């Protein structure tokens, strides 16, 4: 019976690999799987015939497979494992006495020893030696150390923010995510312990859309923390104890057409012309997911009725279309130059009848519209007259802007026109401003400069992150006002923020062609010399838990259209890498303006997109809004089906690592280190703490103490790193997914706290929650 079962298993494996391998050969792929299938079938026949030669035959096949695997991927354990795991396990079984006894044809004497094969045993030893060596190897790491000495002693941090406070989303209008606090440092961070936990009560509900996410970075002013929740509640809590002071619920109605249910932060403003204890002298501005901007008294959470319409600015005003749930604000506005400036998020790929991406500046006290900049009508920045509407479906800004009041500019990251994957009929203005960083005058809203990061974007490569501002010291000692702009495709643009001209060079490189007949592609695309752009994928990069799903991924890879970064969308399906999840996303990067270095979390996850002709689009059912799956693009000739590039068992088809922490020198443009980050502990049914380097979404911060803090990864941990080397120094288990950006502050007793919100991320499946968690030294 043992022989029959073993022979049958070998035959089934051989048939599966042979059939799939033959298909792969027809697709011009590797011949190995077909040969492996043939080898398993021969081994099955020899086993069934009880021929001892099956043992050395299988040993030779195992050695050949090991050689092929090392030739393809080198000594990378996580790539060798799926190639050889099944083969070695079967080899171990064939070496067992229980199986070897079945090969003793015509020798029924019980005391006869089972057939042996030293070749098989030797090949197993060789496989184990290679496995152990590869486990000790780290072929994807870049080892190095960033500059650890200040380049300047008193850098401009942007704005008048006390060292122990965190006044805006990126701490100051410069968006550096840098704190001058150093009580917590590389020497003592390993002793951090939980100080308090606060639960907001805003929990994910069954009627919520898939991307209901907790992405907020709280603000800290004086002794109070201010934050918002996914359903747009605003809250104030005591910074020392975590006790609630007040809360405000704007009662946002549920809407399954709303693609994103989140709030990344509120905005604080102190009117210095008013008495500090006067009503609404200090304000918190709350953006909501039903397109309102509400002014609240920072002391008690009551509405400031003298702002806008009884405390509210209605962001749907002036929109050419206004279907509920299609337009909202997910990110905090910027206060600068006496104005509060806000963009808005537009549902991706729902309809060509989409709201405008207009950027509007309101008087911060009264809520009166001061100027509007509509990228579809960029010259008319004075408030539009009654009855006029903004340009439909112009590129929008759903992320966070930065401001430099001294230069009089706000720096806006812009997205694309809907549909993202169809470029037909775009206006000259769209082609100019889509997927770019735009500098606008704080006074008038007029364009000062524009730097496009993708030409004729067909991949949803919005500029997703708040630009970070600092002064960079050149080799000749000049201090240049700079802007650091991370992008989804992995390029980091380091620009002179006065002019938009590159400080670190930007080159135009040839790009793939082959768009659908109605569309076209840009002949070249820009690439910054400071880039985390991954190498193009090849068949060798396909992954899987076993040979079988790896084979399936190889077949999928050859069936998709792929010629590297910027391969255009297609009817047969296109591989998009980096995917529209981004190398960097709204979490941005953190910069140290003293040392002029950056710390970030590049993520690598391939996506697929396939265009669907209008007459083949299935009728709409009761599905909730999502960026994954079929995006209907109503009014366009094609819908698009999008999602991550996954194997049949739901793991990424590309080999890990999928996520890193990395450090770069902003003066030279050199990526100094890059280390895989995060485990699969919360990605698998079993809590296996294997450090593969996992995807993440969220952002880091840096402190003067030389420590970077980052949650974001999909394994529900909060970690601290040495900024100089990128080495992990500390970690704490979070009660839910930490897909937010942390912050740090001090209280009146001088204690430094580090805080992160843990509530999970709907679209990447991390554990939901409503936690605000603070840490401090013992």
């Amino acid at each position: 019976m043992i022989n029959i079962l073993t022979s049958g298993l070998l035959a089934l494996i051989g048939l599966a690999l042979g059939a799939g391998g033959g298909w792969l050969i027809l697709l011009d792929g590797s011949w190995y799987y077909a040969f492996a299938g043939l080898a398993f079938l021969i081994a099955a026949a020899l086993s069934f015939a009880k021929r001892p030669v099956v043992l050395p035959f299988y040993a030779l096949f195992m050695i050949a497979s090991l050689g092929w695997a090392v030739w393809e991927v080198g000594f990378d354990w996580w790539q060798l494992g799926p190639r050889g795991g099944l083969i070695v396990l079967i080899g171990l079984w064939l070496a067992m006495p229980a199986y070897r006894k079945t090969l003793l044809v015509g020798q029924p004497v019980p005391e006869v020893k089972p057939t042996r094969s030293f070749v098989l045993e030797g090949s197993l030893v060789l496989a184990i030696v290679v496995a152990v060596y590869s486990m000790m190897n780290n072929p994807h790491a870049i080892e190095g150390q960033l500059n650890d000495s200040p380049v300047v002693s008193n850098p401009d941090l942007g704005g008048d923010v006390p060292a122990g406070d965190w006044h805006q989303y990126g701490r100051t209008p410069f968006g550096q995510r840098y704190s001058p606090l150093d009580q917590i440092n590389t020497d003592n961070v390993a002793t951090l312990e939980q100080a308090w936990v606060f639960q907001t009560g805003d929990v994910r509900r069954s009627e919520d859309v898939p991307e209901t996410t907790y992405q907020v970075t709280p603000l800290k002013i004086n002794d109070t923390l201010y934050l918002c929740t996914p359903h747009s509640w605003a809250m104030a809590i005591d910074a020392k104890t975590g006790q609630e002071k007040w809360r405000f619920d704007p009662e946002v109605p549920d809407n399954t057409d709303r693609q994103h249910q989140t709030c990344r932060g509120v905005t604080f403003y102190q009117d210095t012309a008013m008495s500090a204890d006067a009503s609404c002298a200090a304000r918190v501005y709350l953006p909501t997911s039903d397109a309102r901007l509400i002014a609240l008294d920072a002391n008690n959470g009551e509405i400031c009725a003298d702002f806008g319409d009884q405390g509210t600015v209605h962001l749907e005003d002036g929109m050419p279309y206004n279907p509920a749930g299609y337009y909202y604000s997910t990110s905090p506005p910027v206060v600068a130059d006496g104005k509060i400036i806000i963009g808005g998020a537009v549902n991706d790929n729902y309809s060509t009848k989409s709201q405008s991406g207009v950027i509007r500046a309101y008087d911060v006290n009264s809520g009166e519209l001061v100027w509007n900049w509509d990228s579809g009508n960029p010259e008319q920045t004075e408030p539009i007259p009654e009855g006029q509407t903004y340009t439909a479906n112009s590129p929008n800004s759903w992320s966070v802007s930065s401001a430099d009041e001294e230069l009089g500019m706000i720096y806006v990251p812009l997205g694309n026109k809907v549909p993202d994957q169809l470029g037909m009929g775009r206006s000259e203005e769209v082609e100019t401003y889509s997927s770019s960083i735009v500098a606008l005058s704080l006074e008038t809203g007029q364009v000062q400069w524009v730097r496009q990061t993708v030409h004729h974007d067909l991949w949803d490569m919005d500029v997703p992150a708040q630009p970070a501002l600092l002064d960079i010291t050149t080799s000749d000692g000049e201090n240049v006002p700079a802007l650091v702009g991370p992008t989804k495709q992995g390029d980091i643009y380091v620009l002179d923020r006065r002019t938009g001209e590159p400080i670190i060079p930007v080159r135009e490189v040839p790009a793939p062609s082959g768009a659908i007949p109605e569309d076209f592609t840009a002949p070249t695309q820009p690439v910054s010399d400071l880039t985390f752009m991954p190498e193009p994928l090849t068949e060798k990069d396909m992954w899987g838990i076993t040979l079988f799903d790896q084979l399936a991924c190889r077949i999928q890879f050859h069936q998709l259209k792929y010629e590297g970064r910027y391969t255009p969308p297609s009817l047969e399906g296109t591989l998009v890498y980096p995917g529209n999840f981004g190398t960097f996303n709204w979490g941005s990067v953190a910069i140290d303006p003293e040392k002029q270095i950056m710390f970030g979390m590049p993520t690598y996850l391939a996506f697929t997109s396939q265009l669907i002709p209008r007459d083949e689009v299935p009728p709409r059912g009761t599905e909730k809004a999502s960026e994954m799956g079929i995006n209907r693009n109503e009014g366009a000739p094609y819908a698009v089906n999008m999602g991550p590039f996954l194997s049949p068992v739901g793991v990424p088809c590309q080999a890990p690592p999928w996520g890193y922490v990395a450090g770069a020198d902003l003066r030279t443009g050199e990526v100094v280190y890059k280390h895989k980050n995060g485990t699969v502990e919360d990605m698998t049914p079993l809590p296996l703490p294997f450090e593969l380097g996992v995807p993440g979404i969220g952002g880091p911060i840096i402190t003067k103490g030389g420590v970077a803090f980052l949650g974001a990864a999909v394994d529900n941990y909060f970690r601290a790193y040495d900024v100089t080397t990128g080495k992990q120094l500390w970690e704490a288990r979070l009660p839910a997914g930490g897909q937010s950006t942390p912050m740090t502050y001090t209280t009146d007793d001088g204690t430094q706290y580090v805080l992160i919100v843990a509530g999970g991320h709907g679209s990447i499946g991390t554990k939901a929650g409503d936690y605000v968690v603070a840490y401090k030294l013992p």
Side-chain angles (χ1 to χ4, degrees):
M1 180 60 71
I2 289 177
N3 183 280
I4 292 174
L5 291 175
T6 302
S7 302
L9 177 62
L10 292 172
L12 287 174
I13 293 173
L15 288 171
L17 292 178
W23 189 2
L24 185 59
I25 290 172
L26 293 176
L27 295 171
D28 200 27
S30 171
W31 286 56
Y32 168 77
Y33 295 85
F35 282 126
L38 179 61
F40 273 106
L41 289 173
I42 292 172
L46 293 172
S47 174
F48 187 71
K50 300 183 178 180
R51 300 289 299 275
V53 73
V54 68
L55 301 181
F57 172 81
Y58 192 85
L60 293 174
F61 164 62
M62 190 158 53
I63 293 171
S65 297
L66 180 61
W68 164 78
V70 172
W71 170 76
E72 275 213 321
V73 298
F75 294 99
D76 181 349
W77 163 245
W78 291 109
Q79 292 233 51
L80 291 177
R83 287 166 168 81
L86 177 66
I87 294 171
V88 172
L89 283 175
I90 291 175
L92 287 169
W93 169 245
L94 296 183
M96 292 292 105
Y99 171 75
R100 288 189 280 118
K101 283 183 179 181
T102 70
L103 303 178
L104 299 174
V105 181
Q107 301 181 56
V109 182
E111 60 270 16
V112 174
K113 294 182 180 180
T115 301
R116 295 196 67 175
S117 171
F118 293 108
V119 178
L120 178 59
E121 294 162 1
S123 65
L124 288 169
V125 171
L126 177 62
I128 292 170
V129 169
V130 170
V132 171
Y133 174 75
S134 64
M135 288 178 186
M136 299 168 62
N137 203 23
N138 191 3
H140 303 284
I142 298 175
E143 300 288 349
Q145 291 194 3
L146 287 168
N147 168 46
D148 195 30
S149 301
V151 177
V152 292
S153 55
N154 291 298
D156 188 354
L157 305 184
D160 185 18
V161 179
D165 279 8
W166 196 282
H167 279 201
Q168 296 202 22
Y169 180 73
R171 189 175 174 272
T172 76
F174 278 17
Q176 296 170 346
R177 292 162 180 75
Y178 172 81
S179 169
L181 301 178
D182 60 3
Q183 182 182 115
I184 298 170
N185 53 55
T186 55
D187 293 330
N188 60 26
V189 67
T191 66
L192 275 184
E193 58 186 28
Q194 185 174 292
W196 53 258
V197 177
F198 172 75
Q199 291 186 257
T200 67
D202 186 356
V203 295
R204 194 177 299 169
R205 308 189 295 252
S206 59
E207 60 268 30
D208 283 337
V209 295
E211 191 157 319
T212 297
T213 64
Y214 213 159
Q215 301 174 348
V216 65
T217 299
L219 308 182
K220 189 267 183 181
I221 293 92
N222 298 324
D223 62 352
T224 305
L225 297 166
Y226 300 97
L227 65 150
C228 54
T229 71
H231 294 94
S232 302
W233 304 354
M235 294 185 179
I237 57 180
D238 187 279
K240 185 185 296 185
T241 66
Q243 296 296 309
E244 181 178 322
K245 291 187 171 184
W246 58 256
R247 69 172 55 203
F248 171 80
D249 181 0
E251 300 181 352
V252 174
D254 294 329
N255 193 316
T256 56
D257 280 335
R258 190 178 296 131
Q259 233 168 23
H260 304 274
Q261 186 71 52
T262 193
C263 181
R264 297 190 184 95
V266 294
T267 301
F268 177 82
Y269 167 68
Q270 178 76 49
D271 187 348
T272 56
M274 298 177 65
S275 170
D277 58 357
S279 175
C280 289
R283 298 185 181 190
V284 169
Y285 293 91
L286 172 68
T288 71
S289 54
D290 62 348
R292 289 179 283 164
L293 179 62
I294 303 173
L296 304 172
D297 189 321
N299 292 318
N300 53 34
E302 295 179 359
I303 291 176
C304 299
D306 58 346
F307 179 78
D309 176 17
Q310 296 299 306
T312 299
V313 165
H314 300 279
L315 299 176
E316 72 272 15
D317 288 353
M319 292 297 175
Y321 308 105
N322 191 31
Y326 279 45
Y327 179 81
Y328 38 89
S329 182
T330 59
S331 297
V334 171
V335 169
D337 191 40
K339 305 171 184 70
I340 185 163
I341 305 167
I342 190 168
V346 174
N347 277 354
D348 273 341
N349 302 334
Y350 256 50
S351 171
T352 56
K353 292 184 176 180
S354 186
Q355 290 88 334
S356 176
V358 62
I359 311 298
R360 286 172 284 195
Y362 299 91
D363 183 283
V364 71
N365 293 302
S366 69
E368 180 183 357
L369 183 63
V370 178
W371 55 256
N372 40 233
W373 182 75
D374 174 3
S375 59
N377 183 20
E379 298 303 320
Q380 184 184 344
T381 61
E382 64 276 9
I384 61 172
E386 190 74 28
Q388 184 177 327
T389 59
Y390 300 112
T391 306
N393 201 3
S394 52
N396 65 305
S397 181
W398 54 266
S399 190
V400 187
S401 298
S402 302
D404 184 335
E405 290 190 283
E406 185 174 330
L407 289 177
M409 295 188 209
I410 182 168
Y411 305 94
V412 181
L414 279 185
N416 203 356
K417 174 183 177 179
V418 176
D420 289 303
Q421 286 75 24
L422 300 174
M424 305 88 78
R426 292 178 181 172
S427 68
E428 180 181 347
E429 289 78 15
V430 169
E431 297 288 14
T432 298
Y433 295 108
S434 176
S435 303
S436 67
I437 302 170
V438 179
L440 303 176
S441 165
L442 282 170
E443 181 181 359
T444 66
Q446 287 287 332
V447 174
Q448 306 301 292
W449 55 259
V450 56
R451 171 62 57 174
Q452 191 167 61
T453 65
V454 185
H455 306 320
H456 194 66
D457 184 0
L458 302 175
W459 305 273
D460 188 23
M461 292 299 175
D462 305 339
V463 178
Q466 180 183 26
L469 312 182
L470 80 161
D471 294 343
I472 289 181
T473 305
T474 62
S475 56
D476 59 5
E478 180 186 3
N479 286 327
V480 178
L483 174 149
V484 179
T487 64
K488 284 186 177 181
Q489 59 270 32
D491 294 321
I492 304 287
Y493 285 82
V494 182
L495 310 174
D496 185 324
R497 67 177 183 268
R498 298 168 297 188
T499 63
E501 291 302 308
I503 297 173
I504 292 177
V506 175
R507 298 169 289 116
E508 292 285 335
V509 300
S513 58
I516 57 175
E518 304 96 315
D519 208 344
F520 66 94
T521 59
T524 64
Q525 292 288 357
V527 177
S528 171
D529 278 1
L530 174 51
T531 184
F532 291 87
M533 170 180 62
E535 291 294 321
L537 293 174
T538 68
E539 186 193 318
K540 296 177 183 179
D541 298 311
M542 297 302 101
W543 198 62
I545 296 175
T546 67
L547 272 176
F548 305 110
D549 54 318
Q550 185 182 83
L551 172 57
C553 285
R554 288 181 182 244
I555 291 171
Q556 286 187 69
F557 176 78
H558 284 287
Q559 289 176 321
L560 293 166
K561 183 176 181 180
Y562 181 64
E563 299 172 20
R565 190 166 79 153
Y566 302 126
T567 303
S570 62
L571 294 169
E572 64 265 38
T574 290
L575 186 61
V576 182
Y577 185 64
N580 59 350
F581 190 76
T583 305
F584 298 98
N585 209 294
W586 53 263
S588 194
V589 297
I591 61 174
D592 183 330
E594 281 192 358
K595 300 172 184 175
Q596 301 183 8
I597 56 177
M598 64 149 274
F599 180 90
M601 183 194 63
T603 291
Y604 301 101
L605 200 62
F607 273 61
T608 62
S609 69
Q610 183 177 16
L611 300 179
I612 307 171
R614 177 57 51 197
D615 59 2
E616 298 177 17
V617 179
R620 182 173 180 180
T622 58
E623 68 270 13
K624 296 176 181 177
S626 175
E627 289 187 275
M628 301 296 103
I630 294 178
N631 286 214
R632 302 186 66 82
N633 289 342
E634 300 291 356
Y638 298 92
V640 61
N641 191 5
M642 298 191 304
F645 183 32
L646 302 178
S647 80
V649 297
V651 301
C653 266
Q654 72 193 84
W658 306 300
Y660 296 83
V661 291
D665 189 319
L666 294 173
R667 302 176 73 200
T668 65
E670 179 189 3
V671 177
V672 175
Y673 63 75
K674 192 174 175 185
H675 306 302
K676 60 185 179 181
N677 181 58
T679 71
V680 295
E681 181 171 344
D682 296 296
M683 293 178 68
T684 57
L686 296 176
L688 303 173
F690 296 145
E691 188 183 12
L692 269 71
V694 297
I697 189 163
I701 64 169
I702 292 177
T703 70
K704 187 179 176 65
V707 182
F709 290 95
L710 174 69
V714 296
D715 62 354
N716 300 350
Y717 279 95
F718 186 32
R719 297 182 169 95
Y721 309 82
D722 186 322
V723 173
T724 303
T725 65
K727 301 299 184 183
Q728 184 178 314
L729 302 175
W730 169 85
E731 69 178 17
R733 184 77 169 154
L734 292 172
Q739 281 68 57
S740 62
T741 300
M743 48 85 72
T744 186
Y745 60 92
T746 55
T747 50
D748 57 6
D749 60 1
T751 302
Q752 182 181 355
Y753 293 78
V754 179
L755 180 146
I756 189 169
V757 167
H761 195 287
S763 62
I764 62 175
T766 50
K767 183 180 177 182
D770 63 338
Y771 301 92
V772 183
V773 189
Y775 301 87
K776 65 178 182 177
L777 296 173

